[in-house]
Amino acid sequence: MKNLFYLTIILLFACKPSMSDKQKEELNNIEVLIDSSEYYLSSIDSIFAIEATNNFNSNVNYIKNDMVDTLDNDIMLFIDKYYGLRKGFRKLGEKYLGTMAEFKISNEQIENLKHDINNGLVEPNQLDQYLELEKKNIELVFESSKTIAKVNKNLVPLYEKMNPKIDSLIEASKAKLKQ
């Protein structure tokens, strides 16, 4: 009975593939990219970003299609500056949700890969391929999350500063139309 126990232990350790130092370093680098991506994505208040994007798009749509007031030059320049935020909002609106979804998938894939490695389910000759594939995927997520965080960091203060005046202009325009 004792021999069976020792044989089982030996077989368990013999079946687990050993990772080379290079593979361990590669896995560690991937985990660093995941952590960095998570840091960038968590720096964004997603609820505010989505609400601000929707509000911005609604305001621009109203200004372009429904506002009939004659405005002085200073206000027109202000509206033009506000309209200039559209590229940032487009990037934030289009990329945030997709990047977050890709982040979750990449994170899950790495956790599954680590689980499989620890349980001896990955062939040693395939590990390099898996690591390379996951590294490419998380690098794309990392770059996208870094870009979105930068856009968000620059966009939100401008929006918060400019939007109250735009809201006032729109409310005044709507009030005029009701008269």
Side-chain angles (χ1 to χ4, degrees), residues 86-99:
R86 76 189 179 289
K87 290 179 185 177
F89 274 110
R90 189 175 312 129
K91 189 173 282 190
L92 189 62
E94 291 173 0
K95 290 196 172 214
Y96 177 78
L97 294 176
T99 300

Side-chain angles (χ1 to χ4, degrees), residues 6-168:
Y6 289 125
L7 181 61
T8 304
I9 298 293
I10 290 170
L11 285 175
L12 280 174
F13 284 109
C15 292
K16 285 189 180 183
S18 61
M19 290 177 59
S20 69
D21 288 342
K22 182 182 177 196
Q23 291 169 329
K24 288 177 186 175
E25 183 179 336
E26 193 65 32
L27 185 57
N28 186 51
N29 291 340
I30 291 169
E31 288 177 321
V32 168
L33 286 173
I34 287 174
D35 291 344
S36 298
S37 299
E38 183 174 30
Y39 168 79
Y40 285 126
L41 290 170
S42 67
S43 72
I44 299 169
D45 179 349
S46 59
I47 294 172
F48 177 81
I50 291 168
E51 287 176 358
T53 299
N54 291 339
N55 186 58
F56 174 83
N57 289 332
S58 175
N59 286 348
V60 167
N61 186 47
Y62 181 84
I63 291 168
K64 286 170 63 175
N65 299 316
D66 299 324
M67 190 175 262
V68 292
D69 296 341
T70 303
L71 303 171
D72 69 27
N73 207 24
D74 288 341
I75 293 175
M76 290 301 295
L77 290 172
F78 185 81
I79 290 173
D80 187 52
K81 272 184 161 177
Y82 183 80
Y83 185 71
L85 301 177
R86 76 189 179 289
K87 290 179 185 177
F89 274 110
R90 189 175 312 129
K91 189 173 282 190
L92 189 62
E94 291 173 0
K95 290 196 172 214
Y96 177 78
L97 294 176
T99 300
M100 183 56 88
E102 287 298 320
F103 168 77
K104 288 178 181 177
I105 290 168
S106 291
N107 193 30
E108 186 177 309
Q109 289 291 100
I110 290 300
E111 290 303 315
N112 290 343
L113 180 59
K114 288 181 348 189
H115 177 267
D116 290 350
I117 290 168
N118 290 334
N119 290 306
L121 301 174
V122 176
E123 295 291 325
N125 60 345
Q126 293 179 325
L127 185 54
D128 286 331
Q129 292 172 328
Y130 291 140
L131 289 171
E132 184 63 30
L133 176 65
E134 296 308 326
K135 181 181 178 189
K136 286 179 182 177
N137 290 339
I138 196 60
E139 283 175 343
L140 293 172
V141 170
F142 171 74
E143 288 303 321
S144 183
S145 64
K146 187 167 73 168
T147 300
I148 293 167
K150 183 179 178 182
V151 166
N152 185 68
K153 182 180 177 184
N154 295 327
L155 186 65
V156 168
L158 291 171
Y159 172 78
E160 287 178 329
K161 181 179 177 185
M162 298 176 85
N163 199 65
K165 187 171 183 175
I166 293 295
D167 283 345
S168 294

